[in-house]
Structures are given as structure tokens and as C-alpha cells.
């Protein structure tokens, strides 16, 4: 959000002072023009937004638009089946100049600082002063006499003065500040603000500083500083926009001493780098400055003049007009597209066959200047129209197409989209479209995070009605069917687990009443001894060195000495992705983490230091080696050379969709509440899901797990993405492989209401508990609920969240502590992925919670080998000293 | 718009152009020659086998459409065939609502409902137990069932309610306590077999009109129950609730409890026993015998009938040749025995149709598929159950006629059974019996809905599919029953496959709805309410 500058590298590394926070950390709203400004700039990741307006008769009457519409040829045709005007907003850059001048005022006694700007806009100078003897870089209110008319004091530290044109003909908006150099003022600080866009113009991400006394310490932001150069970047506030124009200017402020060699060198060096030089040497007003001794230093003030280029992003409204008519001669549908956007506009377009709006390339002919783009879309350059500065194209299509999809590419490589989605023009059943369309229009603008999931739900909904109404189902996309089948499978599995167990209420664990007596050490795969402390022995980057096993081996005794009893190693199999979560040949254990022999060595060393080792096993999906005869990748190679029967499938033994990843993505999105963007669907088709209902698959997997136990020496499992298949199978696998400890990753989204996390997360933890239940308690599960609640509780000091309605811990640990593996971060949530990062700076509070509570705590590698290390070690020893185990009664921390 | 069936034309040719109606989602092939949809017979409308095509295409003839023809209405209001698109229901667990009137497995049912909705299932069947609702005579507690109805409504599913005036042993759902208490002192309210053993899972049909329940007759008590149900569930009637099955006897079926002793495993189902030995039944028999001038025949049931698990020829009554069933006595007894059952059905169904007739809810009654020994001449299993159906006599005529008279539809269970999976020695033929009953029903224009006997029968799903889509298709099927087995990995995937195969369109492109209709439909369906998915 903060204005981004590219000049940080250029800054003096000896900077001592940070800019004053209260000034520079402006309230975010003023930065975010799209939220509080009347000119919507952008929303989300999309540069251009547009207000949904459909047919002409509902277009808000606005004179300019009406005029434009009237000008479009197409709007007058009679045979038009469908017509739509899409108003679009795009960003146009306007360049201008901005100057700072310091000179003597007319009476030659006082001095005058003039700031001017040539760009149109409502410019405000936001400024303050610092006094001699001020120690920090605090701003202060300037004396009354200094304030030009029209100034408004902002709290006790700043003044806002509007820039005005002195006369109508002037190019520059100006503001003049008169001051007396004899005063105690050490420097004038300012930033420039454009009220119209809410943009702030700063100097290197800080305020501009005009020193009036030369001994001031250089914060790196002095205008006309003695280092002899300055770099200014007009960073503006479009959320994802970094201004590329950089201006710099040269010395204009003459100082008595010579610039040092280093300064000059630096100057030369940078001038090569800088993109744009508009340096203007000021007329060297070598006015010798009166040396009016103030307290201790000479004040040698010199006039200067600096000019910088300034770039402002202006939102410009344009219209894209689409009309559909049927050609009476050919019976074809003609889509006529016109826009008044200047410059070369390329329409990136395609057609779709159904509501799923999957892009397809229609049959030729295409308009002139059309190219095929990656077999997915067509690109047509709009041809300029004879009249006005408009351009357009005609697309002739066969009538069976369902809709026409397009986005616009402008000449500056920006894309214009429809609410982060494609523009959509219905071609079929146009007469009844308004209702349908209205529905899509009414989809809330504000909750963007939900739109993706809602989209899926809508697709499912459409499909379901399609199924039951037996409409032309062939046109429904297979993918959506598959996802529905998966959804159905999940629901059925849920229903099954409940019916089967016939437990209608939450299984509340009977906790041992006596705290002092250690429970008899009975090892079960769900809990280990009950005194386990888990270390996640890798992060998302661990594969990079290619010798992680060896690196970890060196740390084995260290990790053990910190008090960890179990270590979770990265997925060991050959994998399509370097991190190991896209397994291919399950029996090939040479991975980016090291060779099978290195792995064995590592496991041996870990055993030697008394730790148990968990293998990360991915049972949900597996990447194929070969394509089947239909070209689908579902024939596996390696020792487990399954054929496509092993793959969960469409009917329903034929599924080649990696639904699990979608679910995971949804979970992540859900947890983010509002930040996620619609992901490209392509990523989700990566690996076939394994059909665990196939006897031979289960048999092979059991054999494989047994082999891992025996061959490698793994003691247990961390089960990847167990949401993807039924917990009952996990039970089967665990009973067959007899692990010492097993924990499953069941990750879905917590409940939120209006973006606020609900206090009651019972349904979330119930889902996890249900899974554990389905495994018959043979596996624990990561306590995602607790992590989520800790996020909110610690980030916002909402400690009331840490107790549920019954006064118990609100996560899984409150219901089934012995099976809850508590954690605050893992390779997905944190590390370099950061899908759902624990609130920064609160990590130790999080560990204090999980390491003093029942459940089996897991500590993330990155935290162990960080500055948290000693604190984590002492928390572990506190846990051990007090004999806290996974079934301990609550220890309520006071204070 | 409504479609009137024009009597004046013996072959109403309806083409696309004549039916501009979107609501009815008609879609006919382009060739009119194939569209002999209605062939007129005197005072009736019949549909030939072509209808299967229309049904698949989502053809909907509303009852109203037929009613708009006054002559048809006056003659046979119930015989019109309401052809809807194929509708699949799934039964909810028998104990969805327990005796404390709370919803059991609510979360599982909730998940199950969502799964079914996503699958494209039309609705669910909910057994509503007398013993759960009417714990005190005349006091009804519907709260649990209302909660279920709301869940179903929220899930966007339809509801078929089965009013159960019987008890269930597994899971154990008894009759109302006050009824059981009366039965303790007055065991004659229950059926009895020749050995005097009482069947206490439902009331004897002989007491229907006797004031044995604290001064009220069972029919009056059933009436109060149905009326209370109707008023309590009025917000759901016709919208969520589309059908009601009237409980007619053991397991809700129209029959005597002739087979209530479960066959020992590995043995063939026996012939069952006549249940005419409670005092009230014997009284009726006596009156009937006296009225027929054979008072001696009214003293008891057949003396030469086998016992429950015996084979037909183990005694002389059911013998294929020369069995007593073919004697004048046999005819006398079986006529009486079966007519009592039909009268009982008539009493309850006329009650139900008078109560629910003014709603848009269809009333159903369940007729059992007593398929054992069907290949013998005597059909002993059917005889003991109360259906006088033999090689020489169609016993279902009277039954179908009774249903027709009351505008009720028949639910036939056992549509999952196929001959090839029956034990050879049982001389059983579920398929033939099914065909016979359905033919009879067609004759009387009684609509038949299907049900399976048990999920997991070998080849069951294929058989159901055959019955649903075959030559003489049914359009409503209730699949029994949601529970652990239903959702188990052994069963659910095949069920999913089954449902999907039912809804796979096999339409020729010509048969696809026109563009306009499709657009309309997509608007309609996209407004389908109340699907809430937990996507995360």
C-alpha cells in the first residue's frame, strides 16, 4: 500500500532518522483512491473497473455518454438482438512539471519558498517545519506569519495550503511561503498531494526537506542537498502500480565546500541508471548568504530552483459498445464491437458453448488483423473508424455459439476486463437474457473473495439443474461434473462416518484427572507416547540445495537437544514438483532432498539421537508416467504400474481432476477472506486422484507404506491432504503399517461472518474431529482451528476467542486433545509460500499457547532456526518439566 | 398454458409449432409420424410406448391438463396418467426422528441431503411414525418431523411422507404407548394366526370401525392423525411435500402379516399363514359364512394350510393340483379373506383422499410384492397375504379398482428384484408378478411408483433401471434407504453411477429443446433456491 519508490538503494546507508511516522504513514484510505475517491481507479488486481450497466435504457443519463452512444453507428440499427454499452475506466498518464524554488522575496529581506505544479488538479502542499535543536525529524506547525492565506492546520504538526494559479494564463499552480531566515526554523518539510486522486507525491518515500541551516543531518531526503543529486520518484497509489518514471535533478544548491569525490562518483554512476533526466540547472544564483549567526552555526542560505517531471494517473472513462444482430442473408450472428478508446486496441476474444464460459476459438472467417493466440483465443486489432477517434470490428459467428467473450488489450499493455472477468455477450437465447444477466450483475462487488467460490456454487447449481432437468447435458463441462462428484463424495463420506459411528454428539474425551501421575505409556499411532513434541524438519525452500538430508543430519543432535521427540521429514518420493507433493514413482526415493541412501543415513542419525521420524506421504494423488489411449495422463509407471482404474473418475471410477488442490485453494482463499484472486484453473489438473476404493490400490499403498517403514525406517506418517479421501481408508493404511505416530493434514476454512472470524468454530473443528473419528482415532490431525483462532486472538488482542462456550480451548484441542497436533506455521502457511502466515511478531505468543496446552505441539523449522530458538527451547523445557502431555488438563495461564 | 386432450381426434398430432408453451418444456421430435402420443380409446387417454421419449425430454403433462376435459374427469378422474419427468426419491432413515421427537443424525442427514441434491435426486421419503407423534391419544407432537421437513425444504428437495400406523422392530419404533397398553388388555385388536399368536406391530383390519381405542375407532384415530398432519404441514403441502403414503398395514403395506416370522437364513421363504384368527376377524368370517349360507365354513380358517415357513405342498391347501384352494370352500374363504383386505384399504385410502384431496399432494398406498411361489398355480404367498391371485384369477383387479376409486397411486416395492437372483427352488418370480400388477394397474389407470426392497440386492440397481426406463417406465421411484450402508464406499459409488445413468440424456440433437426453451429453462433453474454448499 505504501507508496513505492525505487530509490531505496540509492539512499545514504548512514541514515539515522526515519521519517516521522505520523506524517508519512498516512491513513491508508488516502492512498487507496479506489475506495474513497469518486474516480474509481482500480479494484483488486485489475487496473480498470467499470460499473455494470447493461442495456441502453438503463444507462445512467450522463451527457457525455449519451452523446457518445448516439454517435455509434450500431445503436441505430433496427435488427439488433442485443446491445450493451460497457463503460470502462482506464488509467491514462499525464506528465507535467513540478518545481521548487527558494529565493529572496522582493523586499530582499525575507526568503520565499515556491512550490509549483503544471499538472491540472487540486494540488495541496502538506507541510511543516522543524526548528533548530529539534532532535528528531518531527514536524511542527510553522509560525503563523509563515502560513499563506488559505492554509489549514492539520493537527499540531502540519499545514495544508492549496496551490493556486496566479492568473488564468499560468501553467503552474503555485504556493509561496515567506519566511524570515533569522527565525529558529531549521528546515521546511513538505509533500504534495493531489486532492483529486488522493495521490501523494513524495521525495524518496519521505517528505521533501528544504534545509535552512546547513548543519542539519542528512536524512537523505534533502532537496538540493550537498551530496549533489536527488532522486525523486512519483509513487502513486494505484494499488499495484509502481510509477516507472523517475526524475532526478542536479546540484543547484551551492555550498561553500567542495563536493567530495565520492559524491561525484555516485552521481555519475546513477545518472547512467536513471530512466529519465530532466535536470534543469537552475540559474546559479550565487547569492552570498548573509551569515546571521543563530545559536551555533552559520546559516548560509542559497536560493535554488529545481524542476522535476511528475506523472499523474488519471482515470479516463471510455465506452465499449457491443451489438449483436443476425445477418438476414447468411443466418449468422454478427457481433459489432466499437470503442472510443484511443490508440491501438486489440480485442482478445473467443466464444463459449455454455455457462461455464470456457473460451473456444470459433470457425473462420475472422475479421482482418486477427491472429490466433495460443490456441485459446483470437486477437483482433480494432480498425479505426472513418468518423471520430473510434475503432471497431465486426465478428461473424455461427449461430450455435452460446456467448461471445472478450477482453481488451490497450497499446500500453494494459488489459481492460469486466469486473475481473471477461466481458460477456450472450448470443443464444438473447431475448431472455436480461433476467439472467441481471443476476450476474447483482453479484456483489464488495465481497470479491467469495466470488470465486460463489462462482463454483453457481456452476454446480446450474449443473445440478442440468442433471435433473436433463437438459443438453453434453454441453456441460466435464470438469464441473467431476467437481460435483467430488463434492458429493465428500458429503457422502461425512454422512457415512456419522451414520456408521452412530455418535450423534461430539466425542468428548475423558481426560485424566490426576495431573501428577504420568499416564501409563501406551503408544498408539494417534498419539505416540502422548509426550511427543513435533519438529517440522523442512520448509518450502529445503529442496533447493539438493542435499537437505545431509544438512538436516548435521542438525539432528541439535534438534533433539531442544527437546523434540518426533521429526517430520519432507515427502521423499520422486515428484513432478521439486517440493515433493506431486509424487510420481512411489518407490523411487531419490528426490530433490537427496538420495535414498542419504535419507536412510539421516533416519539412522535421527534414531541415534532418540527421535522418531515421520515420512510425509501423499496418498491423495499421484502423477502419471504415461498417457492412456485417449491422451489422458493416468497410466502410472514405476513399481506400482497402475492403469487408469486407479484413478478416481467421472462415472465415478474415472476422475482425472485434482480436486484436492481446488479444495485446498478454496480453503486458503476462505482463510484469506478477500485477498484471493481467481486462480487459473490450469494448475488444478496436475495429478490424477487415487481411487482408494479400488482394492488393488489399497493393497499396493499398504505394501508401499510397509516398505517405507522397513526399508527407510520411518516411524510414522504425516499424511498429506487427507480431505481428499475418506478417513476410513486411512485407518486401513495405518493399521496395516503400524506407525508409532501419524498425523493428517485436514485443512479447510474457518467460519467467517462478514469477514470477521466467528467466535464459534465448532463446525470447523467438528469436521476435523469427524475425520479423526473416521480413522478410528488411529491418526491425529493438525489443529487448523486453533491456528486460525490464534491468528485473530493475537493479531487483534481478542483473547476472549481462546475460550469456547464451555470454557474449553476453542480448537480441536478442546474437544479431542490427544489427537490434536497443534501448530502455528508450516511450509504452506508460512515459509516462502505464506498462504496463511501467522501474525508477524506474535509467533512466540503462539508457541507459548500451544506448548503449554494439551495436544501434541508441532514447531516449524523456520522458527526453530531463528531468533526464537532459545525461547522455544525454554518453552519446551517448561512443558517437559511440568509433565504436560497431549491429554493434560487445561493449564490456564494467568495474565 | 394447459394442454387439452382433444377427444375428437383419435390421434392428436402435436407438433412443435402448436406448443409454444415454455412452461411445459415440451420437446417433440420433428417427425410427426412418430408422435402418436395419444391414442384415444373410449373415455380414456392412453399413452403408447413413445412416451418414454417425452418423459426423458422432460415432458410434463399436468393433471390439470387432463382435468380440463370434463368428460374424462367425470368418468375417471384418477386414471389419468400424470407424466412427469423421472423422479427419484431416497428414503430417509426409518429413525430419522426418534421417539423423543428429536432429529437423529441431523448432521449426517444434512450432508446426505446436500449430496442427494447435487446428484440430482428429486426428493426424500420420510417415514412418520404414529408411535412417535401421538404419544397421547389425540395429542400430536410434530416438532421433529417439522425440523426434517425444513431441512428438506432448505436443501431444495421434495418430500414424500409415509404415514406409518405400524411399528418397526429394527430400528425399534413401537406403536403409541397408549395403544400398546390397550392391546395388553385387549389383544383382539391385533391380528392372530392359527396358533393364536398375535402380531402386535399393527392393528387388525377387523377393528377398523370398532371403537376399541378409548371409545374411538382406529379409522377415527387415523383421521385425527392425518388431519393434524395436514394442518401442521400446510406450509409444505404441494410445495415441498408432493406425496403422502397412507400406512395400510404391516410395514405400511396393504396385506396381512402372513410372513412376519423371518425365514431362517439359507431357507426358502415359506408360504406364510392366514391371519384370520383374532376374535374380530373370526366374527366377520362367521357373518360372511352365514350370509353365504355356509355357516360351518365360518368357524375358522383352512385347516389344511401349511405353517409359516413350510413349502406349499407340505399340506393340501396350496397343492398345485387338487389343492383345497380350488375347492368351493377355498374360493369362499379366499374371496372373503381378500375382500376384507381390499375393504380395509378402501377405508383408509378414502379417508386419506378425502383429507388430502384438496391439496396438490398425491396419495399413495403400498402394495406388497409377494413373489414367492409365484410360479406355482396357487400363489400361496399372495393368498396368505390377502391377494386372491392364482393361476386362474387376477387378484389385483379388485385392488387396482379400489385404488382407482380413491384416486390413489400404488407404490410397488421390489423393483430391484430379478428372477435370476431368486433361489431356484422358491419358484419365485418377482418380475412376472410385477408385470402382472402393473398391467392390471395400467388397465385401471392407477399410476405405479416404484421402490426397492433393500439396497444392495445383487443386480438391484440394473433391475431398477430396467424398470424405470424400460418399455413401461415408471416415473417415480423411492430408493430405500439412507443410512450407513447407503453412503458406504461399497454402495454409494454405484448408486451415484446409477443416478447419473438415469439422467444421462440420450436425446437425438433433434429432440433437444429449442433455443428459446432452453434459455427459459436456464433462467428457471438458475433461480433454484436453497442450495448451500460448503465448498470449503
Amino acid at each position: 500500500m505504501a507508496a513505492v519508490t525505487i530509490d531505496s538503494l540509492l539512499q545514504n546507508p548512514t541514515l539515522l532518522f526515519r521519517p516521522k511516522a505520523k506524517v508519512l504513514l498516512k491513513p491508508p484510505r488516502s492512498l487507496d483512491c479506489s475506495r474513497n475517491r469518486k474516480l474509481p481507479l482500480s479494484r483488486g488486481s485489475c487496473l480498470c473497473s467499470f460499473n455494470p450497466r447493461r442495456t441502453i435504457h438503463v444507462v445512467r443519463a450522463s451527457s457525455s455518454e449519451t452523446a457518445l452512444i448516439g454517435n455509434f453507428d450500431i445503436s441505430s440499427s433496427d435488427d439488433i438482438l442485443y446491445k450493451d454499452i460497457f463503460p470502462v475506466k482506464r488509467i491514462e498518464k499525464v506528465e507535467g512539471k513540478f518545481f521548487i524554488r527558494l529565493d529572496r522575496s522582493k523586499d530582499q529581506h525575507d526568503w520565499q519558498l515556491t512550490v509549483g505544479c503544471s499538472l491540472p488538479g487540486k494540488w495541496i502542499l502538506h507541510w511543516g517545519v522543524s526548528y533548530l535543536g529539534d532532535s528528531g525529524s518531527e514536524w511542527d506547525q510553522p509560525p503563523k506569519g509563515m502560513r499563506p492565506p488559505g492554509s489549514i492546520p492539520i493537527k499540531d504538526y502540519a499545514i495544508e495550503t492549496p496551490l493556486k494559479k496566479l492568473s488564468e494564463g499560468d501553467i503552474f499552480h503555485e504556493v509561496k511561503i515567506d519566511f524570515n531566515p533569522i527565525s529558529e526554523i531549521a528546515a521546511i518539510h513538505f509533500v504534495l498531494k493531489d486532492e483529486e486522486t488522493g495521490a501523494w507525491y513524495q521525495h524518496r518515500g519521505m517528505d521533501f526537506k528544504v534545509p535552512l541551516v546547513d548543519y542539519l543531518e542528512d536524512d537523505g531526503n534533502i532537496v538540493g542537498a550537498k551530496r549533489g543529486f536527488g532522486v525523486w520518484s512519483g509513487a502513486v497509489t494505484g494499488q499495484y502500480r509502481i510509477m516507472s518514471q523517475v526524475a532526478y535533478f542536479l546540484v543547484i544548491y551551492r555550498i561553500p565546500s567542495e563536493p567530495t569525490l565520492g559524491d561525484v562518483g555516485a552521481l555519475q554512476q546513477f545518472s547512467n541508471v536513471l530512466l529519465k533526466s530532466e535536470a534543469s540547472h537552475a540559474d546559479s544564483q550565487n547569492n552570498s548568504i548573509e551569515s546571521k549567526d543563530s545559536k551555533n552555526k552559520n546559516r548560509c542560505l542559497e536560493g535554488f530552483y529545481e524542476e522535476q517531471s511528475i506523472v499523474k494517473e488519471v482515470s479516463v472513462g471510455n465506452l465499449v459498445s457491443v451489438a449483436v444482430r443476425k445477418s438476414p442473408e447468411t443466418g449468422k450472428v454478427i457481433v459489432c464491437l466499437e470503442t472510443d478508446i484511443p490508440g491501438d486496441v486489440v480485442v482478445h476474444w473467443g466464444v463459449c458453448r455454455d455457462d461455464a464460459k470456457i473460451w473456444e476459438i470459433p470457425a473462420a472467417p475472422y475479421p482482418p488483423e486477427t491472429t490466433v493466440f495460443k490456441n485459446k483465443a483470437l486477437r483482433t486489432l480494432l480498425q479505426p473508424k472513418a468518423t471520430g477517434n473510434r475503432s471497431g470490428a465486426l465478428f461473424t459467428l455461427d449461430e450455435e455459439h452460446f456467448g461471445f467473450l472478450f477482453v481488451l488489450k490497450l497499446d500500453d499493455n494494459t488489459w481492460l476486463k469486466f469486473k475481473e472477468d471477461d466481458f460477456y455477450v450472450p448470443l443464444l437465447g438473447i431475448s431472455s437474457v436480461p433476467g439472467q444477466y441481471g443476476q450476474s450483475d447483482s453479484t456483489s462487488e464488495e465481497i470479491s473473495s467469495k466470488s470465486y467460490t460463489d462462482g463454483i456454487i453457481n456452476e454446480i447449481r446450474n449443473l445440478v439443474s442440468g442433471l435433473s432437468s436433463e437438459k443438453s447435458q453434453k454441453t456441460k463441462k466435464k470438469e464441473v461434473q467431476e467437481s460435483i462428484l467430488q463434492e458429493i463424495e465428500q458429503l457422502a463420506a461425512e454422512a457415512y462416518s456419522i451414520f456408521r459411528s452412530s455418535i450423534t454428539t461430539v466425542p468428548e474425551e475423558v481426560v485424566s484427572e490426576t495431573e501428577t501421575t504420568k499416564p501409563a505409556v501406551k503408544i498408539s499411532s494417534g498419539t505416540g507416547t502422548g509426550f511427543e513434541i513435533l519438529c517440522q524438519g523442512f520448509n518450502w525452500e529445503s529442496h533447493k540445495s539438493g542435499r537437505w538430508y545431509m544438512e538436516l543430519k548435521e542438525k539432528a543432535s541439535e534438534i533433539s537437544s531442544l527437546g523434540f521427540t518426533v521429526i517430520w521429514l519432507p515427502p521423499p518420493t520422486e515428484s513432478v514438483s521439486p517440493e515433493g507433493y506431486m509424487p510420481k514413482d512411489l518407490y523411487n526415493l531419490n528426490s530433490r532432498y537427496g538420495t535414498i541412501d542419504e535419507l536412510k543415513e539421516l533416519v539412522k542419525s535421527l534414531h541415534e539421537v532418540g527421535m522418531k521420524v515421520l515420512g510425509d506421504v501423499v496418498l491423495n494423488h499421484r502423477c502419471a508416467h504415461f498417457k492412456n489411449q485417449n491422451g489422458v495422463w493416468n497410466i502410472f509407471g514405476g513399481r506400482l504400474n497402475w492403469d487408469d482404474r486407479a484413478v478416481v473418475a467421472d462415472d465415478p471410477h474415472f476422475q482425472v481432476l485434482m480436486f484436492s488442490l481446488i479444495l485446498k485453494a478454496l480453503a486458503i482463499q476462505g482463510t484469506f477472506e478477500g485477498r484471493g484472486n481467481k486462480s487459473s484453473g490450469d494448475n488444478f489438473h496436475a495429478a490424477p486422484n487415487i481411487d482408494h476404493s479400488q482394492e488393488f490400490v489399497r493393497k499396493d499403498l499398504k505394501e508401499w507404506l510397509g516398505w517405507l517403514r522397513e526399508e527407510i525406517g520411518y516411524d510414522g506418517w504425516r499424511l498429506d491432504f487427507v480431505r481428499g479421501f475418506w478417513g476410513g481408508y486411512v485407518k486401513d493404511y495405518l493399521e496395516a503399517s503400524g506407525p508409532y505416530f501419524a498425523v493428517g493434514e485436514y485443512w479447510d476454512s474457518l467460519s467467517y461472518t462478514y469477514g470477521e472470524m466467528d467466535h464459534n468454530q465448532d463446525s470447523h473443528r467438528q469436521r476435523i474431529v469427524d475425520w479423526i473419528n473416521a480413522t478410528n482415532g488411529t491418526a491425529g490431525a493438525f489443529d487448523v482451528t486453533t491456528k486460525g483462532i490464534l491468528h485473530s486472538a493475537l493479531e487483534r488482542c481478542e483473547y476472549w476467542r481462546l475460550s469456547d462456550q464451555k470454557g474449553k480451548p476453542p480448537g480441536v484441542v478442546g474437544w479431542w486433545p490427544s489427537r490434536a497436533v497443534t501448530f502455528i506455521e508450516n511450509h504452506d502457511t508460512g515459509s516462502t509460500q505464506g498462504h496463511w502466515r501467522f501474525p508477524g511478531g506474535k509467533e512466540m505468543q503462539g508457541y507459548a499457547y500451544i506448548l503449554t496446552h494439551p495436544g501434541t505441539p508441532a514447531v516449524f523449522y523456520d522458527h526453530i532456526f531463528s531468533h526464537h530458538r532459545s525461547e522455544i527451547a525454554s518453552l519446551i523445557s517448561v512443558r517437559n518439566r511440568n509433565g504436560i502431555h497431549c491429554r493434560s488438563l487445561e493449564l490456564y495461564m494467568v495474565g | 398454458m394447459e394442454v387439452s386432450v382433444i377427444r375428437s381426434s383419435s390421434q392428436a398430432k402435436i407438433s412443435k409449432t402448436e406448443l409454444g408453451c415454455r412452461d411445459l418444456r415440451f420437446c417433440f421430435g420433428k417427425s410427426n409420424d412418430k408422435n402418436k402420443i395419444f391414442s384415444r380409446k373410449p373415455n380414456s387417454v392412453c399413452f403408447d410406448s413413445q412416451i418414454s421419449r417425452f418423459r426423458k425430454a422432460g415432458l410434463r403433462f399436468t393433471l390439470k391438463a387432463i382435468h380440463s376435459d370434463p368428460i374424462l374427469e367425470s368418468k375417471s378422474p384418477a386414471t389419468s396418467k400424470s407424466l412427469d419427468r423421472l423422479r427419484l426419491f431416497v428414503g430417509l432413515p426409518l429413525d430419522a426422528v426418534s421417539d423423543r421427537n428429536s432429529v437423529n443424525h441431523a448432521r449426517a442427514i444434512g450432508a446426505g441431503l446436500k449430496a442427494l441434491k447435487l446428484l440430482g435426486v428429486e426428493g426424500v421419503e420420510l417415514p412418520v411414525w404414529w408411535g412417535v407423534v401421538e404419544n397421547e391419544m389425540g395429542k400430536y407432537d410434530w416438532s421433529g418431523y417439522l425440523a426434517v421437513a425444513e431441512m428438506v425444504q432448505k436443501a431444495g428437495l421434495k418430500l414424500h411422507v409415509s404415514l406409518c400406523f405400524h411399528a418397526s422392530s429394527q430400528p425399534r419404533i413401537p406403536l403409541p404407548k397408549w395403544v400398546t397398553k390397550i392391546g395388553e388388555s385387549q389383544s383382539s385388536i391385533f391380528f392372530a394366526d392359527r396358533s393364536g399368536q398375535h402380531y402386535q406391530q399393527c392393528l387388525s383390519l377387523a377393528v377398523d370401525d370398532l371403537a376399541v381405542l378409548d371409545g374411538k375407532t382406529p379409522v377415527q384415530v387415523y383421521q385425527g392423525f392425518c388431519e393434524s398432519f395436514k394442518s401442521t404441514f400446510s406450509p409444505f403441502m404441494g410445495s415441498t411435500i408432493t406425496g403422502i403414503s397412507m400406512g395400510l398395514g404391516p410395514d405400511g403395506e396393504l396385506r396381512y402379516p402372513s410372513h412376519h416370522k423371518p425365514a431362517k437364513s439359507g431357507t426358502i421363504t415359506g408360504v406364510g399363514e392366514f391371519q384370520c384368527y383374532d376374535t374380530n376377524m373370526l366374527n366377520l368370517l362367521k357373518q360372511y359364512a352365514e350370509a353365504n349360507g355356509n355357516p360351518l365354513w365360518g368357524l375358522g380358517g383352512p385347516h389344511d394350510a401349511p405353517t409359516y415357513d413350510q413349502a406349499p405342498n407340505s399340506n393340501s391347501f396350496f397343492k398345485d393340483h387338487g389343492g383345497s384352494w380350488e375347492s368351493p370352500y377355498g374360493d369362499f374363504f379366499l374371496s372373503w379373506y381378500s375382500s376384507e383386505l381390499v375393504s380395509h384399504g378402501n377405508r383408509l385410502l378414502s379417508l386419506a383422499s378425502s383429507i388430502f384431496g384438496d391439496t396438490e399432494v398425491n396419495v399413495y398406498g403400498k402394495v406388497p410384492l409377494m413373489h414367492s411361489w409365484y410360479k406355482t398355480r396357487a400363489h400361496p404367498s399372495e393368498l396368505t397375504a390377502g391377494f386372491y391371485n392364482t393361476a386362474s384369477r387376477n387378484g389385483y383387479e379388485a385392488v387396482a379398482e379400489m385404488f382407482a376409486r380413491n384416486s390413489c397411486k400404488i407404490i410397488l416395492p421390489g423393483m430391484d428384484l430379478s428372477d435370476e437372483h431368486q433361489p431356484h427352488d422358491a419358484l419365485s418370480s418377482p418380475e412376472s408378478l410385477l408385470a402382472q400388477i402393473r398391467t392390471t394397474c395400467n388397465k385401471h389407470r392407477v399410476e405405479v411408483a416404484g421402490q426397492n426392497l433393500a439396497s444392495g440386492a445383487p443386480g438391484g440397481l440394473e433391475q431398477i433401471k430396467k424398470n424405470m426406463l424400460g418399455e413401461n417406465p415408471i416415473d417415480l421411484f423411492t430408493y430405500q434407504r439412507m443410512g450407513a450402508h447407503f453412503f458406504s464406499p461399497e454402495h454409494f459409488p454405484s448408486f451415484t453411477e446409477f443416478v447419473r445413468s438415469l439422467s444421462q440424456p440420450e436425446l437425438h440433437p433433434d429432440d433437444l429443446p429449442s433455443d428459446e426453451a432452453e434459455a427459459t429453462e436456464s433462467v428457471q433453474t438458475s433461480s433454484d433456491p436453497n442450495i448451500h454448499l460448503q465448498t470449503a
Side-chain angles (χ1 to χ4, degrees), chain B residues 261-329:
Chain B
K261 283 195 177 165
K264 284 168 202 147
S265 62
T267 61
I268 294 159
T269 316
V271 294
E273 283 195 25
F274 292 109
Q275 308 285 323
C276 58
Y277 298 92
D278 68 78
T279 41
N280 299 305
M281 280 300 281
L282 287 172
N283 281 342
L284 291 172
L285 176 60
K286 193 161 171 257
Q287 288 164 26
Y288 181 77
E290 282 162 4
N292 277 276
N294 281 309
L296 292 176
W297 286 355
L299 299 177
H303 67 282
D304 53 354
T307 56
Y308 286 111
D309 48 5
Q310 282 181 326
N313 53 7
S314 60
N315 211 328
S316 58
F317 192 81
F318 295 123
K319 275 190 176 154
D320 253 11
H321 297 285
S324 317
W325 62 274
E326 281 188 299
S327 68
Y329 166 75

Side-chain angles (χ1 to χ4, degrees), chain A residues 65-300:
Chain A
E65 281 167 9
T66 327
L68 262 168
I69 291 163
N71 283 339
F72 281 133
D73 311 336
I74 51 174
S75 58
S76 58
S77 308
D78 293 334
D79 53 350
I80 284 178
L81 300 172
Y82 171 87
K83 187 158 55 181
D84 212 338
I85 306 279
F86 301 94
V88 291
K89 291 269 189 273
R90 64 197 172 81
I91 306 298
E92 208 167 69
K93 285 178 207 150
V94 186
E95 289 188 38
K97 280 180 181 168
F98 156 63
F99 72 83
I100 307 164
R101 184 175 64 227
L102 183 67
D103 57 9
R104 278 178 191 272
S105 62
K106 286 159 198 153
D107 58 7
Q108 294 291 307
H109 180 66
D110 279 356
W111 283 73
Q112 192 173 50
L113 177 73
T114 312
V115 177
C117 180
S118 71
L119 277 179
K122 280 185 77 178
W123 296 100
I124 302 280
L125 191 75
H126 184 96
W127 63 286
V129 298
S130 54
Y131 289 98
L132 292 172
D134 279 357
S135 53
S137 55
E138 305 273 305
W139 289 19
D140 277 307
Q141 291 278 19
K144 283 246 164 64
M146 243 175 107
R147 304 176 193 175
S151 298
I152 302 159
I154 304 295
K155 299 200 176 154
D156 59 344
Y157 55 82
I159 289 287
E160 287 199 341
T161 311
L163 275 68
K164 285 180 192 146
K165 285 192 179 180
L166 294 180
S167 65
E168 268 310 298
D170 271 5
I171 314 163
F172 286 98
H173 297 72
E174 279 186 10
V175 64
K176 288 185 184 349
I177 299 167
D178 294 321
F179 62 92
N180 185 341
I182 313 166
S183 67
E184 298 283 291
I185 294 169
I188 298 173
H189 307 256
F190 66 90
V191 293
L192 200 60
K193 185 171 122 188
D194 180 8
E195 285 259 275
E196 231 163 52
T197 60
W200 295 74
Y201 294 84
Q202 302 173 358
H203 185 56
R204 302 178 181 182
M206 303 183 212
D207 46 347
F208 294 87
K209 181 169 172 183
V210 178
L212 306 181
V213 186
D214 68 351
Y215 76 101
L216 280 173
E217 286 178 80
D218 186 352
D219 287 4
N221 55 341
I222 293 172
V223 180
K226 56 180 152 191
R227 270 177 308 138
F229 66 92
V231 175
W232 181 86
S233 87
V236 203
T237 57
Q239 284 178 2
Y240 295 87
R241 192 91 178 140
I242 301 171
M243 297 282 293
S244 57
Q245 269 85 358
V246 176
Y248 79 100
F249 44 86
L250 293 173
V251 195
I252 8 154
Y253 187 55
R254 302 263 165 190
I255 44 167
S257 59
E258 289 290 317
T260 65
L261 198 62
D263 289 337
V264 175
L267 170 65
Q268 283 165 347
Q269 191 187 339
F270 288 126
S271 54
N272 295 330
V273 176
L274 296 167
L275 301 172
K276 196 167 177 182
S277 145
E278 284 200 6
S280 57
H281 288 266
D283 48 332
S284 310
Q285 295 178 325
N286 272 330
N287 298 340
S288 63
I289 316 267
E290 286 176 81
S291 168
K292 305 248 172 179
D293 190 284
S294 60
K295 274 173 188 159
N296 42 12
K297 288 277 173 180
N298 281 346
R299 184 187 283 256
C300 32

Side-chain angles (χ1 to χ4, degrees), chain B residues 89-144:
Chain B
F89 279 66
V90 171
L92 290 176
L94 288 171
D95 58 347
V97 176
S98 75
D99 49 1
R100 272 171 294 164
N101 244 310
S102 60
V103 182
N104 291 327
H105 323 294
R107 257 169 31 75
I109 291 174
L113 291 177
K114 275 182 214 156
L116 293 179
K117 179 67 188 178
L118 286 176
L119 260 180
V121 165
E122 171 89 3
V124 290
E125 181 258 1
L126 171 67
V128 170
W129 298 92
W130 187 22
V132 171
V133 175
E134 194 173 355
N135 267 317
E136 266 179 75
M137 190 175 170
K139 290 193 178 163
Y140 310 98
D141 180 359
W142 298 102
S143 51

